[in-house]
Amino acid sequence: VGVGRHRAAELDAADPLRTYRERFAIDDYGLVYLDGNSLGRMPRATPACLQQVAAVQWGDRLVRSWDEGWMELPTEIGDRLAAAALGAAPGQVVVGDSTTVCFYKLVCAALELRPGRTEIVTDVDNFPTDRYALEGIAQARGLTVRWIQGDPAAGPTPELLAPLLGEKTALVTFSHVSYRSAHIADMAAISALAHEAGALTVGDLSHSAGSVPVELDRDGADLAVGCTYKYLNGGPGAPAYMYARAELHDQLRQPIWGWLGRRDPFAMEQGYLPAPGIRALLSGTPPVLSLIAIDEGVNLVAQAGIERIRAKGIALTELAIELADTKLADRGVTIASPRDPAQRGAHVALAHPDAERLCAQLIERCVIPDFRRPDVIRCGFSPLSTRFVDVWDGIEALRALLESSR
Amino acid sequence: VGVGRHRAAELDAADPLRTYRERFAIDDYGLVYLDGNSLGRMPRATPACLQQVAAVQWGDRLVRSWDEGWMELPTEIGDRLAAAALGAAPGQVVVGDSTTVCFYKLVCAALELRPGRTEIVTDVDNFPTDRYALEGIAQARGLTVRWIQGDPAAGPTPELLAPLLGEKTALVTFSHVSYRSAHIADMAAISALAHEAGALTVGDLSHSAGSVPVELDRDGADLAVGCTYKYLNGGPGAPAYMYARAELHDQLRQPIWGWLGRRDPFAMEQGYLPAPGIRALLSGTPPVLSLIAIDEGVNLVAQAGIERIRAKGIALTELAIELADTKLADRGVTIASPRDPAQRGAHVALAHPDAERLCAQLIERCVIPDFRRPDVIRCGFSPLSTRFVDVWDGIEALRALLESSR
């Protein structure tokens, strides 16, 4: 019984974004890729773009390319990204270092803006690298991290957050979409609560940007960071971006002072003076090839439109949950993501005690989800490159596995 | 009179490294590139390698590539680089973030190892981004930077360094080869002096690695950093490397705690524990495409051999100085680099009051040096891709310019 594969195929036929799959390099040998929220598919145009940039900008123009465009790449790609996926006006986003380094810089910058305050609030289910970075900063500065101990299938809800806030709170940091459960945090409510306490926010958009609408300006975000290699399809380890609300720029100081974040960098003068605006968040030379590889993924999101991407993400995850309920529930699989699509990003966490073994066996069968300890099979449905039949095939493969291992 | 172009051509014909120029993408339209110490030439093999990595490792293998090689890239490329160019035994070098971020991490790590000491010693002519990073760290921690005010054409000599050292000194940091004058610092003597005072050293190898022999293990270096886009031809903004002497690994703590530097990173557990060995210096996900682009440049240095590269670097700079003395000295150009080749890296600083204008005019004529304020025309002679006739043509172009603007 249940939903047949033909219905999934019909959904694909009616999908207004169906042609976008052709914009990615996808060989049709039956791989069911459900990990676009860990490393997104490669846009078909990217290798030729890389080759062209290498041959012309590096190989031919050489050092002259810094004056001919490279210096502006961090802000140019930042502005395009801001418009396509972040709900941020120009001049507030810059692309640079790794997500971890960018997060570190923003947290330190926020702490500088709230001197004397000694507490950072986050949740125990926040993304590991964010937790580790906070621990390191807190230890170095003698600060306290106050941990929200919430429902893992939810995130840092305003209700859980509010009692931890006070006049000691410097900073609230949270993932916009939980890397495990896909729960969408209420950014506007969290911002308002933090501001009421006189604190700032640092949001991590790694699992939301490019899959759900982000409205940084509207929702009162102060600082935000995110990676570009998941739903933005920028490639492995592609540089992360940083957002800082324009009103903060005048006082903004980040800890890693380098030549690219200095006013008039080629002057190479004595003494550091931060560059005006968002460039003050830059430090050293960005990895240009990896930076340029981001561009096509951002273009695809801009062309498809985040609202249509969101609609498809909801439809894909709704189908996955419907199929899991009918095919997997009686085999011990539970849904560890919010059932309300308004609270859920573009992935679904399926919980099972044997999740680790099941994931390994799925991968052997060319169905690729993510295992997340201790018991989660995480299925990411990157809307631009995932079909409804992929959802069907993935869930069916898991059903067959559970069936055969009885 | 002086040296004719034919003698330069003879030197090229006799050059044992002459075939290496063919390993770089160089179109023969007469560009005289004297800036390989700012952005090195592109190895001919790199674009195809990038395309292959993108198509297969990213496009086809996708997230599986992390298990199939990407996780080991930072240490694998680090070890190859260590053997080819750094004089370091395996397990002590890792490639990761930008040079500025790596330098920041190493300086903070050194300070952690010398608690209670409040002074950092460096020289006013050290590379700008290093100076800026130090200023930021000193301001954040209430430390003092003691500046060596030396001869700009020399670097931090042991004689100038010694009086600034004492029981307050946490750290001595210096460029192995000065970015401006090309002066080679005496790494062994600086290390010995620092250690005598109980301090550590952080060396910046950006202008030496790949052009002059570096002997980190032999010369008692503690920590070191360097970029890969100059003499290592890794491409624009290619990630930098960090060296930490093996004996320091047990106590080493860097400030930016992230998932890649954690023990068992995929466990994603609560609490940060540094990875064993050199991996503890890693933070977030490295830019894989830019990381892989380093490999061919390192291969070329390994194949050519650093001793032969050094010999050619001396010969190129000796020719440049000889030509400058005969053709440019009576037109107001002076040599702002050491005349003793044993004290000079692979570039030559030519000083002239109109250096800025002259550089701009040379670039218009497809001769590309670097202008370094206030008065330096910096000519880099990357040994693997620069011919003796390029030296001749570059100096002749400058002579002709000075002649015509009389």
Side-chain angles (χ1 to χ4, degrees):
Chain A
V1 293
V3 178
R5 193 175 194 271
H6 62 90
R7 204 189 100 202
E10 283 166 12
L11 290 170
D12 283 319
D15 172 14
L17 298 181
R18 68 189 175 281
T19 57
Y20 279 88
R21 185 173 161 92
E22 294 157 23
R23 306 281 292 275
F24 295 90
I26 301 179
D27 280 339
D28 193 13
Y29 62 86
L31 182 75
V32 178
Y33 192 60
L34 306 180
D35 211 1
N37 55 335
S38 184
L39 175 64
R41 290 272 198 184
M42 182 175 74
R44 199 176 282 280
T46 298
C49 167
L50 274 173
Q51 177 120 16
Q52 174 74 2
V53 168
V56 176
Q57 294 182 17
W58 175 14
D60 186 20
R61 298 304 296 166
L62 286 153
V63 74
R64 293 167 289 188
S65 288
W66 283 108
D67 285 334
E68 293 168 1
W70 287 350
M71 281 303 280
E72 307 310 322
L73 277 179
T75 46
E76 271 183 20
I77 296 181
D79 280 344
R80 281 204 282 274
L81 181 56
L86 305 183
Q92 300 180 112
V93 175
V94 76
V95 183
D97 301 294
S98 76
T99 316
T100 305
V101 169
C102 289
F103 181 75
Y104 174 88
K105 295 204 283 190
L106 291 182
V107 168
C108 291
L111 293 171
E112 288 296 310
L113 292 170
R114 290 297 178 269
R117 292 184 172 231
T118 58
E119 293 183 357
I120 301 169
V121 181
T122 194
D123 61 294
V124 295
D125 293 308
N126 199 354
F127 193 65
T129 214
D130 297 25
R131 291 190 267 110
Y132 303 150
L134 288 178
E135 282 181 63
I137 292 166
Q139 183 182 296
R141 296 168 180 241
L143 306 175
T144 303
V145 180
R146 300 200 65 180
W147 298 98
I148 300 173
Q149 307 270 353
D151 174 3
T157 62
E159 294 70 34
L160 291 165
L161 174 61
L164 299 182
L165 298 175
E167 58 189 21
K168 290 186 187 167
T169 313
L171 174 65
V172 176
T173 175
F174 63 98
S175 288
H176 186 209
V177 167
S178 160
Y179 81 101
R180 181 190 295 265
S181 73
H183 176 268
I184 303 175
D186 186 341
M187 190 181 286
I190 290 172
S191 302
L193 278 172
H195 294 164
E196 209 174 295
L200 292 169
T201 63
V202 178
D204 185 334
L205 314 176
S206 295
H207 283 83
S208 59
S211 70
V212 305
V214 179
E215 294 287 352
L216 292 171
D217 287 349
R218 185 198 72 189
D219 289 346
D222 296 310
L223 303 162
V225 65
C227 85
T228 58
Y229 46 78
K230 300 179 190 289
Y231 297 107
L232 295 169
N233 303 98
Y241 53 89
M242 293 173 274
Y243 163 89
R245 171 175 289 279
E247 296 94 90
L248 298 174
H249 290 187
D250 280 350
Q251 316 122 51
L252 206 61
R253 278 284 178 130
Q254 54 88 9
I256 309 179
W257 299 3
W259 79 285
L260 211 71
R262 192 191 185 281
R263 188 177 299 258
D264 196 2
F266 286 112
M268 301 195 164
E269 283 171 351
Q270 297 298 324
Y272 182 78
L273 291 169
I278 193 71
R279 292 188 74 93
L281 289 178
L282 291 172
S283 299
T285 312
V288 170
L289 297 174
S290 288
L291 197 60
I292 283 173
I294 299 171
D295 213 35
E296 176 65 4
V298 173
N299 287 343
L300 289 171
V301 170
Q303 287 170 27
I306 193 67
E307 294 300 336
R308 293 201 298 171
I309 292 171
R310 171 63 173 153
K312 184 172 175 188
I314 289 176
L316 289 163
T317 52
E318 285 287 276
L319 176 64
I321 289 173
E322 182 181 349
L323 289 167
D325 282 343
T326 52
K327 294 182 164 203
L328 307 177
D330 63 351
R331 291 176 171 86
V333 172
T334 55
I335 309 293
S337 290
R339 284 183 173 274
D340 175 4
Q343 292 189 29
R344 187 180 64 229
H347 66 271
V348 170
L350 303 174
H352 188 282
D354 294 333
E356 183 163 17
R357 174 181 60 80
L358 292 166
C359 278
Q361 290 176 329
L362 284 170
I363 291 169
E364 279 171 21
R365 287 157 180 75
C366 282
V367 175
I368 305 192
D370 246 337
F371 169 59
R372 286 292 172 255
R373 290 187 192 180
D375 64 350
V376 164
I377 303 165
R378 191 182 71 167
C379 301
F381 306 108
S382 190
L384 289 180
S385 57
T386 307
R387 296 169 303 188
F388 291 92
V389 292
D390 295 323
V391 176
W392 198 94
D393 291 342
I395 300 291
E396 171 59 20
L398 181 53
R399 188 206 61 76
L401 254 186
L402 288 163
E403 180 74 26
S404 69
S405 58
R406 270 198 163 166
Chain B
V1 293
V3 177
R5 194 175 193 269
H6 62 92
R7 204 189 99 201
E10 283 166 11
L11 290 170
D12 283 320
D15 172 15
L17 298 180
R18 68 187 175 281
T19 58
Y20 280 88
R21 185 172 160 93
E22 294 157 23
R23 306 282 291 276
F24 295 90
I26 300 179
D27 281 338
D28 193 14
Y29 62 87
L31 183 74
V32 178
Y33 192 59
L34 305 180
D35 211 1
N37 55 333
S38 183
L39 175 63
R41 290 272 198 185
M42 182 175 72
R44 200 176 281 280
T46 298
C49 167
L50 274 172
Q51 176 120 13
Q52 174 74 1
V53 167
V56 176
Q57 296 183 16
W58 175 13
D60 185 20
R61 299 303 298 165
L62 285 154
V63 75
R64 293 168 289 189
S65 289
W66 283 107
D67 286 335
E68 293 168 1
W70 288 348
M71 281 302 280
E72 308 310 321
L73 277 181
T75 46
E76 272 183 19
I77 296 180
D79 280 345
R80 280 204 283 275
L81 181 57
L86 305 182
Q92 301 179 112
V93 175
V94 77
V95 183
D97 301 293
S98 74
T99 315
T100 304
V101 169
C102 289
F103 181 75
Y104 174 88
K105 295 204 283 190
L106 292 183
V107 168
C108 291
L111 294 171
E112 288 296 308
L113 292 170
R114 291 295 178 270
R117 292 184 172 230
T118 56
E119 294 183 356
I120 301 170
V121 180
T122 196
D123 62 294
V124 293
D125 292 309
N126 200 353
F127 194 64
T129 212
D130 298 24
R131 290 190 266 111
Y132 303 150
L134 289 178
E135 280 180 65
I137 291 167
Q139 183 183 295
R141 296 168 180 241
L143 305 176
T144 303
V145 179
R146 300 200 64 181
W147 298 98
I148 300 173
Q149 307 269 354
D151 173 2
T157 61
E159 295 68 34
L160 291 166
L161 174 61
L164 299 183
L165 298 176
E167 58 190 20
K168 291 186 187 166
T169 313
L171 174 65
V172 176
T173 177
F174 63 99
S175 288
H176 185 211
V177 166
S178 161
Y179 81 102
R180 180 190 295 263
S181 73
H183 176 266
I184 302 176
D186 185 340
M187 189 182 286
I190 290 172
S191 302
L193 278 173
H195 294 163
E196 208 173 296
L200 292 168
T201 62
V202 177
D204 185 334
L205 314 176
S206 295
H207 283 84
S208 60
S211 70
V212 306
V214 179
E215 294 288 350
L216 292 171
D217 287 349
R218 185 196 72 188
D219 288 346
D222 295 311
L223 303 162
V225 66
C227 85
T228 58
Y229 45 79
K230 300 179 191 285
Y231 296 108
L232 295 168
N233 302 97
Y241 52 90
M242 292 173 275
Y243 163 90
R245 170 176 290 278
E247 296 95 87
L248 298 174
H249 290 187
D250 280 350
Q251 315 122 52
L252 206 61
R253 279 284 178 131
Q254 54 87 10
I256 309 178
W257 301 4
W259 80 284
L260 211 72
R262 193 190 184 282
R263 189 176 299 258
D264 196 1
F266 286 112
M268 300 195 165
E269 284 171 350
Q270 298 296 324
Y272 182 78
L273 291 169
I278 192 73
R279 292 188 74 91
L281 289 178
L282 292 172
S283 299
T285 311
V288 170
L289 297 174
S290 288
L291 198 59
I292 284 173
I294 298 171
D295 214 33
E296 176 64 5
V298 173
N299 287 343
L300 289 172
V301 170
Q303 287 171 26
I306 193 67
E307 294 300 337
R308 291 201 298 173
I309 292 171
R310 172 61 174 154
K312 184 172 175 188
I314 289 176
L316 289 163
T317 51
E318 285 286 280
L319 176 63
I321 289 174
E322 182 181 350
L323 289 167
D325 281 342
T326 51
K327 295 182 163 202
L328 307 177
D330 62 351
R331 291 177 172 85
V333 173
T334 56
I335 309 294
S337 290
R339 284 185 173 270
D340 175 4
Q343 290 188 31
R344 185 181 67 228
H347 65 272
V348 170
L350 303 175
H352 188 282
D354 292 334
E356 184 163 19
R357 174 180 60 80
L358 291 167
C359 277
Q361 290 177 328
L362 284 170
I363 291 170
E364 279 172 21
R365 287 156 178 76
C366 282
V367 174
I368 306 191
D370 246 335
F371 169 58
R372 286 293 172 257
R373 289 191 192 177
D375 63 352
V376 164
I377 303 165
R378 191 180 72 166
C379 300
F381 306 107
S382 191
L384 290 180
S385 57
T386 307
R387 296 169 303 188
F388 291 92
V389 292
D390 294 324
V391 177
W392 199 92
D393 291 343
I395 299 292
E396 171 59 21
L398 182 52
R399 186 206 61 74
L401 254 186
L402 287 163
E403 181 73 27
S404 69
S405 58
R406 270 199 163 166

